[in-house]
Amino acid sequence: MSQSILIVDDNTLIRRLLRGWLEQHSEWEVCGEAENGQIAVESVRQLHPDIVILDLQMPVMNGLEAARQIHQFAPGTAMIMFTVYNSDQLQKAARANGVKDVVSKSDLLGEHLLTALRQAA
């Protein structure tokens, strides 16, 4: 059975690349996309994904605030932060808001994201 994934990033190209990459792996199914944190929160309420891939810097609501809200009403939903901004401080803040792992976009579609997704599932 495949795991459903919601992709959240304000960059359309990143969302398309992630979707294309994920669709090559039968263990995951992309159930939706969102371009900011507010839409992500609404989408999680409607779609109930198994995993959410969240960007950090987005308009309207950033990824940390979205993660905090999602973790409050859907604590069983696994979240991975996918960002260009990676630091120890971000790792701690992300984990405090229910995020399982922070993956650097510089590793775009690399082994770290693949490992993080498999561990989140």
Side-chain angles (χ1 to χ4, degrees):
M1 177 131 189
S2 62
Q3 297 280 311
S4 60
I5 297 180
L6 174 67
I7 300 169
V8 184
D9 198 296
D10 60 324
N11 186 311
T12 304
L13 179 60
I14 296 291
R15 290 196 315 268
R16 285 185 187 155
L17 284 170
L18 276 172
R19 179 182 279 273
W21 183 74
L22 289 166
E23 288 175 345
Q24 294 176 20
H25 297 83
S26 62
E27 60 203 284
W28 300 298
E29 178 185 336
V30 176
C31 65
E33 296 180 14
E35 62 268 7
N36 65 56
Q38 182 178 349
I39 294 171
V41 170
E42 294 166 8
S43 296
V44 170
R45 288 186 193 277
Q46 293 174 354
L47 301 172
H48 309 286
D50 298 306
I51 302 170
V52 178
I53 300 174
L54 278 169
D55 186 19
L56 174 63
Q57 294 290 326
M58 296 181 288
V60 184
M61 181 189 296
N62 70 36
L64 280 177
E65 177 59 23
R68 185 187 69 73
Q69 290 187 27
I70 291 166
H71 188 63
Q72 285 179 343
F73 70 83
T77 300
M79 293 180 283
I80 296 171
M81 180 109 359
F82 190 52
T83 181
V84 294
Y85 309 99
N86 198 350
S87 67
D88 290 339
Q89 183 179 0
L90 175 59
Q91 292 272 348
K92 289 176 186 173
R95 290 190 200 290
N97 286 293
V99 174
K100 299 229 182 248
D101 201 357
V102 177
V103 177
S104 173
K105 284 184 181 176
S106 64
D107 299 337
L108 186 61
L109 309 183
E111 280 301 311
H112 190 182
L113 180 59
L114 186 62
T115 300
L117 284 168
R118 289 190 172 137
Q119 289 175 349

